[in-house]
Amino acid sequence: MSPLDAETVALQVDRAAHEMRRGRAVLLQLEAGGSALICAAETLSETALALALGLAGDKPEAALALTAQRAAVLHIMPTGYDTILLPLAELPVAPPERAALIRDLADASRDLAAPLRGPYQRRLGAAPAGAALAIKLAKIAYLLPAALYIPLPAGAVLPPLLTAVPAAAIAAYDEAAAESLVQVSQARLPVADAEDARLYAFRAADGGPEHFALVIGQPDPAQPVLARLHSECFTGDLLGSLRCDCGEQLRGAVRTIREAGGGVLLYMAQEGRGIGLVNKLRAYQLQDQGFDTVEANLRIGYAADERWFRPAARMLELLGFSAVRLLTNNPEKVSGLTDAGVIVAERVPHKFPANSHNEAYLATKKKRSGHYL
């Protein structure tokens, strides 16, 4: 993919994702021809739902696309596929309650307040690829992973300002965004535990959010660099949350790198293991109901960890590093960086004592995610 192609993909998908966040329908242009209207379930209004159904001629194929994880929570009969389509005709309510029900079906934090209405007996078979891409676009927008999917008839008359996005662009988005990362600024930044440091900012073609790299000392690019991949954590890094160990890991990594004579800390815009801060707070609500951190993500409809590591590999490449000694307890970071083309010469342990608020969280990471704790 050329830089121009990557930029085009990033811009097309970013525009469509923002329309989803605004509660507007997006025109999905399917690779095999034809098109579909898609709307994020989380931001769906009854007005938007009625408009979409009206444009499609109220087709019986109109459905709510859910991940298999979320569908299982809702007692929707499985199909053996990762994406489940629940026909809107199956919903037991009529306007103006339909949009509210769809929002409830998508939102796991509403499960207790709005008791589940399953089991749903009728669901469509293998979901078209476009339905999975509608969910992916909702994820890119950091919304709940559920979307309205309405195939359009040939010759449908559409509003002139409707944002369109090719299915191929959504499918290529992750790689395109990583490939288009460029360094946009840098500055000397003495920090409390490492006065000899510089901060580098990297931005993708879609305009953000930015990733950052704190380079400490003068690491030799000819040798494996001591590196830490740290996913941003507003609650832990900035507020000092005791529910996780992120703040300790961040500050501990800076000290360890400085004591070792230099290295790099990549600060990745991947809040909540890639689901975003709002969804992380929803997961916290579920954890307070007794679910562990993995179960909470799955009930929302996400995977246990939604991160991928090509952006980190691209940043290391731009900084001139091809091999790392990785500060981590997470085996998926080792395999993820390796798959992205980075040589991981060594895994360096990086753990801190538990407290009464995060001991169950750390135990879950060890037991269910294989962390070396």
Side-chain angles (χ1 to χ4, degrees):
M1 180 179 292
S2 71
L4 179 61
D5 289 336
E7 181 176 353
T8 300
V9 165
L11 290 173
Q12 288 176 323
V13 175
D14 180 66
R15 289 169 179 163
H18 276 78
E19 287 297 276
M20 270 196 160
R21 289 179 65 87
R22 297 183 182 103
R24 296 175 182 170
V26 171
L27 178 66
L28 179 65
Q29 299 168 326
L30 303 172
E31 290 192 73
S35 59
L37 287 177
I38 58 176
C39 306
E42 178 179 344
T43 56
L44 185 67
S45 67
E46 192 64 41
T47 299
L49 175 58
L51 176 62
L53 291 174
L55 291 173
D58 210 6
K59 293 192 72 174
E61 296 94 339
L64 174 62
L66 299 162
T67 64
Q69 301 98 304
R70 181 61 186 156
V73 173
L74 296 170
H75 305 295
I76 297 172
M77 301 295 289
T79 62
Y81 298 97
D82 293 336
T83 303
I84 305 293
L85 285 180
L86 176 66
L88 295 193
E90 173 78 354
L91 300 184
V93 295
E97 290 84 17
R98 290 178 306 176
L101 175 57
I102 289 170
R103 293 194 301 270
D104 283 347
L105 292 174
D107 190 353
S109 67
R110 292 278 299 156
D111 286 350
L112 293 183
L116 303 183
R117 296 163 173 84
Y120 291 98
Q121 299 299 325
R122 193 167 75 87
R123 75 277 182 273
L124 303 177
L133 292 174
I135 292 176
K136 181 173 181 177
L137 185 60
K139 288 183 177 183
I140 292 168
Y142 290 109
L143 297 170
L144 291 167
L148 200 65
Y149 183 80
I150 307 175
L152 289 174
V157 179
L158 303 174
L161 297 181
L162 189 66
T163 296
V165 60
I170 301 175
Y173 173 78
D174 293 333
E175 186 65 36
E179 185 178 319
S180 69
L181 276 173
V182 294
Q183 181 190 316
V184 291
S185 65
Q186 62 161 302
R188 184 177 63 86
L189 187 71
V191 296
D193 292 308
E195 294 185 24
D196 182 13
R198 297 189 70 84
L199 187 66
Y200 296 76
F202 300 85
R203 182 183 295 150
D206 63 2
E210 288 83 7
H211 304 288
F212 297 91
L214 185 70
V215 177
I216 297 169
Q218 303 294 325
D220 181 0
Q223 301 296 323
V225 63
L226 184 61
R228 167 70 183 167
L229 271 61
H230 187 90
S231 298
E232 68 178 359
C233 178
F234 172 80
T235 49
D237 299 342
L238 186 61
L239 300 181
S241 168
L242 299 176
R243 296 187 70 139
C244 63
D245 58 344
C246 299
E248 291 175 297
Q249 289 194 75
L250 174 62
R251 291 179 286 276
V254 172
R255 290 192 300 269
T256 298
I257 292 171
R258 186 255 302 162
E259 291 167 359
V264 58
L265 183 145
L266 301 184
Y267 196 81
M268 310 301 299
Q270 297 174 332
E271 179 84 45
R273 300 197 296 273
I275 69 174
L277 179 56
V278 172
N279 287 319
K280 184 173 82 170
L281 296 180
R282 290 183 171 120
Y284 280 173
Q285 285 182 279
L286 295 175
Q287 290 172 38
D288 287 341
Q289 295 171 19
F291 299 101
D292 67 34
T293 182
V294 171
E295 292 166 341
N297 274 31
L298 297 178
R299 287 187 71 87
I300 291 172
Y302 281 99
D305 193 331
E306 290 278 342
R307 291 173 295 185
W308 83 305
F309 301 100
R310 182 69 184 97
R314 171 67 174 163
M315 292 164 67
L316 288 168
E317 176 188 348
L318 292 172
L319 291 169
F321 302 114
S322 60
V324 299
R325 298 171 54 235
L326 191 61
L327 271 170
T328 188
N329 303 313
N330 185 352
E332 290 192 4
K333 286 186 178 180
V334 176
S335 60
L337 267 189
T338 301
D339 291 344
V342 177
I343 299 169
V344 181
E346 179 186 359
R347 184 191 70 83
V348 180
H350 189 62
K351 58 183 178 181
F352 299 87
N355 62 57
S356 60
H357 298 278
N358 70 14
E359 57 186 357
Y361 164 78
L362 295 177
T364 297
K365 289 208 295 184
K366 178 179 180 179
K367 180 179 180 181
R368 302 199 59 176
S369 301
H371 286 218
Y372 301 107
L373 294 172

